[in-house]
Amino acid sequence: MHPWQERTRGSGLTLHGALDMAIDPLPLQRDFAVLDRDLPQGARKHFGATDGWTAVSLLDRALDAPARATPALALMPSVAALLARADWDVRGCYLLRQAPGSVLRWHFDHQALHLEEARLLIPIIVPAAATTWIGHEAVAYPPGRGWTGDFALPHQVDNPSDGQRIVLGIDVVTTPSLVRRFPAALMADVPQRCALAGECSNLLLAWRAGQGL
């Protein structure tokens, strides 16, 4: 294990948890098939991907204003319906794609339930072998099972399969009503979480420097 994984393994903290909301993945899968067929290539972002597109924005972030719907959202009415039934303060919403056989290498984000903003993930198409590592824990939720994690800690996403991985990512303000929809343990020991995130992030940065990355 990497040094930051050793630190999370010994922390005793809960690193991820499921959303307390039933989500039928079939409408999401049907709408995604339409979007993948009809959306122009110019609306698909690449972010340095070596095998096709990486993301499609459904709600664009806006400074000091609500997130703006993109034309792609009209191709996914199931997402619009999901957002309408939830009392979330949404800052952005994206379809995230991971190509077959690819790795989104270790990184960290300022997103967690104990921070100002969290990222909710709703798997749409997930090969059985696809795994998200949060510290030392391997995470794999099935289609339609929304979840979040402490993404302030180093995490990596592996897709060793021959199929693409499609996940809905929703960036939301962390409000009390949102927090109540997740296991309470995911919000426990906030000072320890913040200290651990700083330590683990520094360990990752030092490892990158040693690897020349």
Side-chain angles (χ1 to χ4, degrees):
M1 282 193 173
H2 292 294
W4 55 90
Q5 293 179 285
E6 296 288 357
R7 287 292 296 113
T8 61
R9 183 168 64 175
S11 70
L13 295 175
T14 297
L15 305 184
H16 62 92
L19 173 68
D20 181 19
M21 177 185 288
I23 301 170
D24 184 355
L26 294 180
L28 294 169
Q29 292 167 352
R30 287 194 295 264
D31 286 355
F32 171 72
V34 172
L35 178 142
D36 199 29
R37 182 193 67 201
D38 295 344
L39 190 69
Q41 288 299 318
R44 308 175 194 226
K45 299 181 180 180
H46 295 267
F47 298 123
T50 57
D51 183 9
W53 60 276
T54 306
V56 171
S57 179
L58 302 178
L59 289 175
D60 276 340
R61 284 176 173 262
L63 293 175
D64 301 319
R68 297 186 295 257
T70 69
L73 183 61
L75 297 174
M76 294 206 70
S78 58
V79 175
L82 172 64
L83 296 177
R85 64 183 271 223
D87 59 347
W88 301 331
D89 183 355
V90 178
R91 290 181 169 178
C93 181
Y94 317 91
L95 274 177
L96 306 174
R97 175 184 182 270
Q98 187 177 21
S102 65
V103 178
L104 178 57
R105 299 199 178 277
W106 290 103
H107 61 289
F108 52 88
D109 304 293
H110 196 66
Q111 292 179 312
L113 283 181
H114 63 281
L115 301 174
E116 179 190 2
E117 180 176 300
R119 169 162 284 190
L120 311 186
L121 298 173
I122 301 172
I124 298 176
I125 299 171
V126 186
T131 301
T132 300
W133 287 91
I134 303 179
H136 68 289
E137 292 190 356
V139 182
Y141 285 85
R145 188 60 163 159
W147 68 285
T148 194
D150 190 339
F151 297 124
L153 294 168
H155 51 284
Q156 174 171 290
V157 188
D158 299 339
N159 181 16
S161 77
D162 58 1
Q164 64 181 350
R165 173 181 177 269
I166 305 296
V167 176
L168 183 67
I170 308 173
D171 294 338
V172 293
V173 177
T174 51
T175 60
S177 61
L178 174 74
V179 169
R180 285 194 294 269
R181 307 212 71 141
F182 290 94
L186 194 51
M187 272 286 293
D189 302 303
V190 171
Q192 181 187 358
R193 286 183 183 278
C194 293
L196 183 66
E199 181 181 351
C200 289
S201 299
N202 287 335
L203 288 169
L204 172 57
L205 294 174
W207 176 81
R208 283 181 182 169
Q211 297 292 314
L213 300 176

